Amino acid sequence: MKNSFKYSGDVQKALSEGKPVLALESTIIAHGMPYPENLEFAREAEELARHHGAVPATIAILNGEVCIGLNDDQLKLLASDKNVKKVATREIGVTLAMGGHGATTVSSTMRLAHQGGIKVFATGGIGGVHRGAEKDLDISADLIELSRTPVIVVSAGAKAILDLPKTLEYLETMSVPVIGYGTNDFPAFYSSRSGLELHQSMDNPDDIARAFVAQFDLGIDSGMLIANPAPAEIEIPLDEMSVIIDRALKDAARGGIIGKELTPYLLGRIVELTEGRSLVTNRALALNNVKIGAKIAVSLAERA
Ligand code: PSU
Ligand code: MN
């Protein structure tokens, strides 16, 4: 545990006793979903982690301090305050030096979780290689962090707003294991299948925990990406999603939206274009990841 971090009482207790802890990110709350659904989601995610035996540690930077495990007022602030910045790993230092609030993305949450002594983290979907990256080089820092920080990230794959074949190639180059949870088809966030083949698949949390321990014990620094498909009842199949994504991408291009604004814009636009259906899917897939993440955290804690 890191002294300069502000831990919630229950996270601190769980970590010192070697009990299961599951990290959760805050960009999904502050920039990934509208208010008040984002707050309801944040609360539900914490409750679900507890239900499956792990203490939830939502991570954010508040008033220039790294907070690991938040109370309800802090969740409310993240969900509703317009001054909360989106903070990836490269923005951590400046945000801490200058004060203010930062919601952590997959990259920064991984790094802070690792520094804070937490090995498992659940999110919605990771960032990846954007379409057209051969021209504008827009590649999410999430992929870099996955290659150099030993944390298990449970996701529903990567959003189909991205270039998924390139995202998988990049993960392979960066030596990040990508494990399908009960599938050999890389999930595409809202859609449970992308049609892209995964070469590694596991279907129980114990195997994932053992694989992580095996690579960690060898000093392999990379994380591990678990790709857990959205539940069948709420997924939006890729052919339906493709039309909507193309439209959202065109709107972003027309509005000149680039860089860190792009992903939040696209998520918001897709909620509008699907009249809220994508939000239902986003919430359900993220909660499904929390469930699996908590089970992996339980299995890891038993092994330690
Ligand atoms: N998953 C969601 N909603 C989100 C994100 C993930 O269901 O908003 C966030 C994560 O924080 C991820 C970020 O790191 O989107 C990717 O942003 P970018 O493409 O700018 O790296
Ligand atoms: Mn980007």
Side-chain angles (χ1 to χ4, degrees):
M1 271 186 267
K2 224 177 163 61
N3 282 335
S4 57
F5 288 7
K6 260 179 104 169
Y7 290 87
S8 69
D10 53 354
V11 170
Q12 180 146 30
K13 183 162 185 286
L15 286 175
S16 62
E17 291 172 356
K19 299 261 168 62
V21 176
L22 178 67
L24 302 167
E25 60 148 309
S26 43
T27 291
I28 188 172
I29 305 171
H31 307 282
M33 294 182 188
Y35 182 83
E37 286 88 349
N38 57 355
L39 179 59
E40 286 155 22
F41 163 77
R43 288 172 173 159
E44 224 170 323
E46 296 216 340
E47 205 176 291
L48 190 65
R50 283 207 174 83
H51 178 79
H52 289 282
V55 173
T58 303
I59 295 181
I61 296 176
L62 297 174
N63 296 310
E65 277 187 305
V66 174
C67 297
I68 314 255
L70 304 181
N71 62 34
D72 202 60
D73 286 338
Q74 293 171 318
L75 290 180
K76 268 189 211 144
L77 185 150
L78 281 171
S80 57
D81 191 319
K82 292 278 163 278
N83 295 317
V84 177
K85 296 195 181 71
K86 179 178 166 188
V87 173
T89 299
R90 74 165 184 167
E91 283 128 348
I92 292 174
V94 170
T95 309
L96 293 180
M98 303 308 284
H101 307 315
T104 51
T105 66
V106 168
S107 69
S108 50
T109 306
M110 279 185 82
R111 179 56 70 96
L112 295 173
H114 174 61
Q115 290 293 324
I118 304 171
K119 297 188 178 67
V120 193
F121 159 33
T123 178
I126 59 157
V129 179
H130 280 266
R131 299 188 194 180
E134 64 277 16
K135 294 191 206 96
D136 65 14
L137 276 181
D138 189 346
I139 299 172
S140 175
D142 294 354
L143 302 186
I144 313 296
E145 206 60 57
L146 275 161
S147 74
R148 64 178 183 195
T149 301
V151 168
I152 301 171
V153 179
V154 187
S155 72
K159 300 165 201 83
I161 57 176
L162 302 163
D163 186 323
L164 295 180
K166 286 201 186 76
T167 299
L168 284 177
E169 286 293 348
Y170 200 81
L171 286 164
E172 182 176 349
T173 301
M174 300 301 277
S175 300
V176 179
V178 182
I179 300 167
Y181 193 75
T183 184
N184 279 297
D185 190 320
F186 187 52
F189 195 68
Y190 304 113
S191 317
S192 62
R193 315 166 70 91
S194 66
L196 298 167
E197 191 187 354
L198 291 179
H199 301 285
Q200 291 176 307
S201 165
M202 287 177 161
D203 53 17
N204 76 72
D206 290 333
D207 288 343
I208 293 168
R210 285 193 306 113
F212 180 76
V213 170
Q215 70 168 38
F216 189 80
D217 283 352
L218 285 170
I220 296 173
D221 278 336
S222 64
M224 192 172 251
L225 182 63
I226 309 304
N228 181 31
E233 323 81 75
I234 52 86
E235 73 144 337
I236 308 177
L238 202 56
D239 51 346
E240 254 179 86
M241 223 36 235
S242 296
V243 184
I244 290 157
I245 286 168
D246 287 345
R247 173 79 197 278
L249 284 167
K250 274 195 194 112
D251 293 345
R254 199 171 305 133
I257 292 153
I258 55 165
K260 64 194 272 192
E261 311 301 334
L262 183 60
T263 297
Y265 172 84
L266 291 171
L267 289 171
R269 189 72 189 112
I270 291 168
V271 173
E272 288 170 6
L273 292 171
T274 60
E275 291 168 351
R277 186 175 164 205
S278 71
L279 185 57
V280 174
T281 303
N282 195 350
R283 178 183 153 279
L285 65 82
L287 292 173
N288 194 39
N289 296 337
V290 169
K291 180 173 100 183
I292 302 304
K295 291 183 178 182
I296 296 169
V298 167
S299 179
L300 262 184
E302 281 165 2
R303 231 157 279 278

